[in-house]
Amino acid sequence: MSKKKGFWSSLFGTDDNSNTGSANMATERLKVIVASENRLSNRLTADRIEKMKREILEVVNKYVNGVQIDDVNINHRSEDSLDVLEMNINLPEHKK
Amino acid sequence: MSKKKGFWSSLFGTDDNSNTGSANMATERLKVIVASENRLSNRLTADRIEKMKREILEVVNKYVNGVQIDDVNINHRSEDSLDVLEMNINLPEHKK
């Protein structure tokens, strides 16, 4: 279990070097991960991933205002026999 | 990176003891994870966060073909400062 703990922390920590600056500015992030044993690309074409991304963005925007398409970035990578699609969503600053 | 590798393998390996049988029958498994930092609870109630995550899972479901809702189980857990909603899906065989 301790391995997992470290993993999750690293998801939001050192892995996102590009965001270390904004992390200090209280940017909140949401992460969506899709992992499959077989090639996801059999089921998800780039076109469908793009559509899915937009729909997820719509859902997030229903709950958190002002999230832009640029705030979502997607990584697709393979590890061992796993195919992993990782989506990072930066949420805008919270206005009260 | 080796930690991640181990993590992802474990996601589909020892963690899913209940499914070890079906793995031999070429069932495809898919895992979808929606994770947020706990700070999100400053702006959204736990209830709304949960709803948002379920809606995101529904979108992913729609884009990955042929998921029967019975084959989905959802876990909710907290780790460190993260709030994680995890969905495990047994996919029916891929039909072209």
Side-chain angles (χ1 to χ4, degrees), chain A residues 8-9 15 55 62 92, chain B residues 4 43 55 62-63 79-80:
Chain A
W8 287 114
S9 301
D15 266 23
E55 263 192 64
K62 258 187 357 198
Chain B
K4 267 198 189 174
R43 69 165 88 182
E55 277 189 52
K62 218 170 61 178
Y63 282 95
E79 288 178 12
D80 294 344

Side-chain angles (χ1 to χ4, degrees), chain B residues 46 49-50 53-54 74-78 83-86:
Chain B
I49 293 172
E50 171 99 12
K53 288 181 178 174
R54 282 179 186 270
I74 295 180
N75 295 310
H76 190 186
R77 59 202 157 87
S78 291
D83 187 64
V84 179
L85 193 66
E86 181 184 303

Side-chain angles (χ1 to χ4, degrees), chain A residues 8-53:
Chain A
W8 287 114
S9 301
S10 73
L11 273 186
F12 280 86
T14 48
D15 266 23
D16 283 34
N17 290 324
S18 57
N19 287 318
T20 42
S22 56
N24 298 327
M25 297 188 292
T27 303
E28 285 156 17
R29 273 171 295 163
L30 193 70
K31 198 178 263 285
V32 182
I33 293 167
V34 184
S36 166
E37 280 168 309
N38 292 327
R39 306 258 127 207
L40 271 176
S41 47
N42 289 343
R43 292 173 180 274
L44 279 176
T45 58
D47 187 48
R48 283 170 76 81
I49 289 172
E50 188 62 27
K51 275 191 193 154
M52 181 172 75
K53 173 179 157 182

